[in-house]
Amino acid sequence: MSNVNLQPLVPADDTVSREDATFAEILSSFEQQHADERGSETVTGTVVSVQPESILIDIGRKIEGSLALAKWQAIEKAEPKAGESIVVSVGPRNEEGYYELSTVKVSRPKDWSGLQAAFAEKRTIAGTVAEQVKGGFRVDVGVRAFMPASRSGVREMAEMPGLVGQEIQCRITKLDVEKEDVVVDRRVVLEEEQARRRQEAFAELHEGAVIRGRVRSVMDLGAFVDVGGTDGLLHVADMSYARIAKASDVVKPGDELEVKILKIDPANRKVSLGLKQLQDDPWTIAARTFHVGDRVSGTVSRLTDFGAFVELLPGVDGLIHLSELSWNRRVRKPGDLLKTGERVEAVVLQINPEERRIALGYKQALGDPWETVVQRFPVGTVAEGPVTNLTQFGAFVELVDGIEGMVHISDITNEKRLDHPRERLSKGQSVRVVVLEVDQDRKRLRLGMKQLEPTTLDHYISEHRPGDTVSGRQIGRAHV
């Protein structure tokens, strides 16, 4: 059992309500009636604590039993100590809420005929461990018997000497009267008692109950938790709403947990447990935390062909669709812009807690560059940028991130008529352009390159200076 508890293990409400007290009296009367009908149950208990007039004993139930100290002293020579075992008869609960216990003296055969009867009936008998010998122990069961170490119920070699001098319960597994050879087994009695306790504990479990348990072992996909003698499986998927790589990231052997019973399979004696079910559903929190238009931040949890998932809360992921990654850049896959584990900001575009979906926009958090395009690139502005794409009718040039304009094939050069832009341009080539037209609503910029090419007049001016004497041909007569 657990820590020493000097108060009865009953619900706190039983001590504050007369209605509950009445219920306790009815329950006690019911147990007394059935105890009279079926006879008291005999079990092997373990001493939990010793009080001035009574002893609290673990009898394998949720509530301990109480044995009068005088009854212990009537059959035992030494004073009781925590951890000692004793055979008791279980009665109804007393006024303090404990099961009332009485001592039971397991019979010790007095002669060979008694041993033969106990062997034939496979009856449990009492014996005293006299000494430790090679391979086991000598046990006094009325005659000298041998108990193999493997059947003593003691698993550690270092603990075996402590069994000497103790009174035990055992069962005869071999009896040869002529050779006076008797072999006894204590382990089978202990295992039957453990099995009985596990069965009782299992019978008391019910789906939906919240109970405490101790982690017994941990695997990658889950952990086995001892819930009162029955092992329940706590699957890694039921440990947390957040994604968990392996169970050992959350629990370890020996941890005390409060878990919820999700499912019981009586036929296969399987119990499914949940830990996250005792926490608030993160989507309930998300519903009252996030709203359309909110600017949020999160970590990119995974990338797919159609978008990127961003963890906003443990167990709550939002999706940035591929189309919401960039205003103008043609993104082929999310990995071109984002990477797993990266912290990003986004804007909530849509939220549906019932379907557990949140749509996010990455480009919206960056701001729409077209909102200021008129101020940044008014008509006549000369800029420079790389060619991002070539088509039959023109070339696209990126002025800044998110802003592209198109140079029509007729505006590429004055030198000659082009059949395709690739005759003068290549993808990635940096070019100078002039803004010819801005259409903010349709997000379009018309650019020109030939408008920046020098004309014949430009060349003539560049070859002459003010004051030079020049000659020319008259092409018309001015009328005064």
Side-chain angles (χ1 to χ4, degrees), residues 4 46-50 80-84:
V4 173
T46 303
V47 176
V48 176
S49 65
V50 181
K81 297 179 181 178
E84 288 190 87

Side-chain angles (χ1 to χ4, degrees), residues 205-372:
L205 300 177
H206 61 275
E207 294 180 4
V210 177
I211 56 177
R212 290 197 65 81
R214 178 186 292 270
V215 178
R216 191 173 59 81
S217 61
V218 179
M219 307 169 294
D220 285 347
L221 295 180
F224 284 102
V225 181
D226 181 358
V227 286
T230 298
D231 276 355
L233 175 62
L234 175 60
H235 195 275
V236 66
D238 290 309
M239 289 184 175
S240 174
Y241 285 107
R243 285 185 179 84
I244 300 171
K246 54 185 183 297
S248 57
D249 293 338
V250 180
V251 298
K252 63 181 183 298
D255 283 353
E256 294 282 346
L257 301 177
E258 193 170 66
V259 292
K260 185 175 184 178
I261 300 177
L262 304 180
K263 186 177 180 181
I264 297 177
D265 183 354
N268 297 307
R269 293 183 59 82
K270 291 183 179 180
V271 180
S272 298
L273 306 173
L275 187 60
K276 73 179 185 182
Q277 287 76 7
L278 298 179
Q279 306 166 7
D280 288 338
D281 187 336
W283 281 95
T284 301
I285 300 174
R288 61 174 182 262
T289 303
F290 304 125
H291 305 88
V292 173
D294 285 354
R295 190 183 185 94
V296 296
S297 63
T299 303
V300 178
S301 57
R302 59 193 175 101
L303 301 175
T304 67
D305 292 339
F306 55 84
F309 285 93
V310 178
E311 185 181 56
L312 304 178
L313 295 173
V316 176
D317 281 3
L319 172 65
I320 302 176
H321 192 268
L322 192 64
S323 62
E324 303 298 343
L325 285 171
S326 175
W327 289 106
N328 198 35
R329 183 182 299 180
R330 291 168 178 81
V331 183
R332 294 177 301 170
K333 57 181 186 294
D336 293 339
L337 291 181
L338 305 175
K339 58 183 179 181
T340 303
E342 180 182 359
R343 191 79 180 174
V344 298
E345 290 192 347
V347 173
V348 177
L349 304 180
Q350 185 180 4
I351 181 167
N352 191 333
E354 292 76 17
E355 296 183 5
R356 296 176 178 265
R357 292 181 180 180
I358 295 180
L360 302 174
Y362 179 67
K363 66 185 183 182
Q364 289 82 355
L366 299 176
D368 187 351
W370 285 93
E371 292 180 356
T372 58

Side-chain angles (χ1 to χ4, degrees), residues 380-397:
T381 302
V382 176
E384 186 172 347
V387 176
T388 58
N389 194 26
L390 296 174
T391 68
Q392 185 69 38
F393 53 83
F396 287 90
V397 178

